[in-house]
Amino acid sequence: MLLVTGGAGFIGANFILDWLAQADEAIINLDKLTYAGNLENLAALAADERHIFVHGDVCDTALVSSVLGRYKPRAILNFAAESHVDRSIHGPEEFVQTNILGTFRLLEASRAYWNGLNDKMKRRFRFLHVSTDEVYGSLVQGQPAFSETFPYQPNSPYSASKAASDHLVRAYYHTYGLPVLTTNCSNNYGPYQFPEKLIPLMVVNALAGKPLPVYGDGQQIRDWLYVKDHCTAIRRVLEAGVVGETYNVGGWNEQPNIKIVRTICTLLDTLRPLVIGSYHSLITFVSDRPGHDRRYAIDASKIERELGWKPGETFETGVTKTLRWYLDNPAWIGNVQSGAYRTWMEKNYAGRQA
Ligand code: NAD
Ligand code: TYD
C-alpha cells in the first residue's frame, strides 16, 4: 500500500482517483483538511475500502509514525503543502510550518520507519516528494527552460518553502540513504482545482458574471500541464525513477496569462453562451502581484528520455475537458465558495486597483 499526504487537495485527489482506477493497491490518505482539502473530491471512493482516510497533520510525528507502523506502506508520496503564492504573500507562516517543518517531520518519521524494515522492504521503499518548478525562480525571454541542474532561486514565500523542503529531501538521501525521488512540475490545471488559482478562478468568476482579474500586463508566462499527465508522471517516477534523482515534469506549453484567460472566454462563449455579449468583456487588468515571477518553462526531456513519459493532452484538449468538468459540477463550485472563500477573495482582490 501507499501513503499519500495531502490527498484531499487538487493534485492528490486526482492522483488517488487515477491510481485506484488502474491498480488494486490501497492508499492511505493523510490530510489535514485545510481550506484546500475537500473530501468531496473523493466522493466516488466513499464505499471503496482501498481508500483509507486519516484526518491529520504531517507535522504530527506521533500520528505519522503510528500510521506507518500500522499500515506498513511501501512508499510515501508527499503532496501535502500550502500551495498558493498569493496566500504565501499575505501569510507566509503556514507555508514554513507545513512545507518546511511538515516535510522535515515526515522525513524523520520515514527514516525511523525505513530503518526498522526488513531488507527486502527496505530496498523497495520510496519517499516521493512532489514539488514545483517555482523553486528555480524566473526566466527571461529567450532563456532555456528549467532543467534539473538549474540553480534554485525561489522568489516567493511559497517557492522558498518548497525549495527548503526539496533540499531537506535531498539531504536525507545523501546523509541517511533514505530512498527519495523528487518531481518538480509546472502549473497544473484540471478537475477539482480550488478556485483561487488562475484557471478555475477565471471559470468560476466568468460563470458568475464577475470581473476576470488579470495581474499586471498579463504577459507573465506559465507552462501548463493537465493534472492527469502529472499523475501519470508521478506513477512512472515511483515505478522506475532512479533513487536520489529529481525529474522535471511539464507540458511544453508556455503561454502568457492573458492568452489563457482569452482562451477560457472563447471556449465559454461556445459552451455556455451569454444571452448578450461575450465573456471577454469581463477581463479586467488589476494591480500586479508583488515579486511576480515573469516566466516559468520546464525542460521535460529527462523524464521523457529516461522514463519514457510524455503528456497525453494538448492544452486545447485538457482545457476543454476542464471547462466541461466545471460546467457539469455547479454543486462542487457552490460548496467550496464558503464564507472563508469569500473572505479570501475580499482580502486578495478588494485592494487591487483596476
Ligand atoms: P492543494 O492546495 O490543492 O492541496 C493541498 C492539500 O494538502 C490539501 O488537501 C490540504 O488539506 C493538505 N494539507 C495542507 N497542509 C497539510 C498538513 N500540514 N498536513 C496534512 N495535509 C495538509 O495543492 P495542490 O495544487 O494539489 O498541490 C499538491 C502538491 O503539488 C503541493 O506540494 C504543491 O506544491 C505541488 N505542486 C502543485 C502544482 C499546481 O499547479 N497546483 C504544480 C507543481 C507542484
Ligand atoms: P496561479 O494559478 O496562482 O499559479 P502560480 O502563481 O503558482 O503560477 O497563477 C498563475 C498565473 O496567473 C500567475 O502569473 C499569476 C496570474 N494570476 C492572475 O493574473 N490573476 C489571478 O487572479 C490569479 C489567481 C493569478
Side-chain angles (χ1 to χ4, degrees):
M1 86 169 40
L2 307 180
L3 171 61
V4 162
T5 69
F10 163 51
I11 304 174
N14 275 285
F15 179 84
I16 292 174
L17 292 168
D18 196 54
W19 181 271
L20 292 178
Q22 304 183 43
D24 257 337
E25 189 173 15
I27 289 187
I28 314 138
N29 174 8
L30 173 68
D31 198 295
K32 186 178 173 184
L33 297 180
T34 66
Y35 78 92
N38 182 359
L39 286 177
E40 219 181 312
N41 299 349
L42 297 162
L45 302 174
D48 194 326
E49 289 174 354
R50 299 171 306 161
H51 175 237
I52 301 157
F53 180 71
V54 178
H55 185 195
D57 190 331
V58 288
C59 296
D60 183 345
T61 306
L63 174 69
V64 173
S65 301
S66 88
V67 166
L68 290 173
R70 176 166 177 201
Y71 294 104
K72 303 227 174 305
R74 70 161 171 106
I76 298 173
L77 285 79
N78 185 28
F79 293 83
E82 288 293 333
S83 69
H84 189 33
V85 173
D86 290 321
R87 288 190 194 249
S88 82
I89 294 168
H90 287 280
E93 180 134 0
E94 282 295 308
F95 289 72
V96 172
Q97 276 294 329
T98 288
N99 300 1
I100 306 180
L101 191 66
T103 303
F104 163 71
R105 295 233 170 110
L106 198 59
L107 284 164
E108 273 294 86
S110 304
R111 181 164 76 93
Y113 165 69
W114 178 69
N115 275 327
L117 293 174
N118 64 35
D119 283 352
K120 190 171 165 226
M121 278 187 79
K122 213 169 172 180
R123 268 197 306 278
R124 195 174 179 222
F125 181 78
R126 297 287 182 272
F127 183 104
L128 192 155
H129 181 60
V130 179
S131 193
T132 166
D133 61 353
E134 303 194 24
V135 297
Y136 298 120
S138 185
L139 294 166
V140 295
Q141 258 326 331
Q143 205 178 348
F146 302 128
S147 68
E148 288 77 0
T149 53
F150 200 92
Y152 272 40
Q153 293 171 338
N155 293 319
S156 71
Y158 164 65
S159 54
S161 65
K162 289 297 289 188
S165 69
D166 292 9
H167 291 325
L168 284 167
V169 170
R170 177 190 162 89
Y172 270 64
Y173 169 67
H174 283 274
T175 307
Y176 305 111
L178 189 72
V180 306
L181 297 157
T182 299
T183 55
N184 293 87
C185 189
S186 60
N187 286 59
N188 283 213
Y189 66 96
Y192 306 109
Q193 188 167 29
F194 192 77
E196 63 182 358
K197 306 278 168 60
L198 180 73
I199 290 182
L201 181 94
M202 294 299 157
V203 176
V204 164
N205 274 18
L207 293 177
K210 292 185 179 160
L212 308 181
V214 176
Y215 296 164
D217 62 4
Q219 294 301 329
Q220 301 81 10
I221 291 171
R222 298 292 182 264
D223 183 350
W224 295 93
L225 182 70
Y226 189 61
V227 64
K228 280 221 157 68
D229 282 326
H230 187 189
C231 296
T232 312
I234 291 169
R235 221 175 36 237
R236 187 67 194 132
V237 171
L238 179 66
E239 183 177 63
V242 176
V243 163
E245 290 290 307
T246 65
Y247 296 90
N248 284 359
V249 184
W252 303 106
N253 177 48
E254 284 183 60
Q255 295 201 47
N257 294 336
I258 186 64
K259 188 160 173 243
I260 297 285
V261 176
R262 292 214 166 103
T263 300
I264 292 169
C265 291
T266 302
L267 281 168
L268 285 178
D269 278 339
T270 308
L271 295 169
R272 180 67 59 85
L274 292 167
V275 181
I276 309 167
S278 158
Y279 291 99
H280 286 267
S281 65
L282 296 172
I283 294 174
T284 311
F285 288 88
V286 299
S287 44
D288 210 349
R289 172 189 279 174
H292 199 170
D293 283 339
R294 198 70 183 162
R295 175 178 165 233
Y296 303 144
I298 278 278
D299 176 349
S301 47
K302 177 177 172 183
I303 188 171
E304 293 189 353
R305 190 179 58 246
E306 296 185 7
L307 303 184
W309 173 87
K310 265 201 188 322
E313 301 286 345
T314 63
F315 186 69
E316 289 63 36
T317 59
V319 82
T320 304
K321 283 185 182 175
T322 304
L323 293 198
R324 285 193 199 283
W325 186 86
Y326 282 93
L327 288 170
D328 289 346
N329 288 279
W332 185 93
I333 295 176
N335 292 343
V336 297
Q337 291 179 315
S338 61
Y341 178 76
R342 290 194 294 277
T343 306
W344 163 250
M345 294 300 284
E346 180 73 15
K347 190 179 202 177
N348 194 43
Y349 294 97
R352 286 182 191 271
Q353 304 282 337

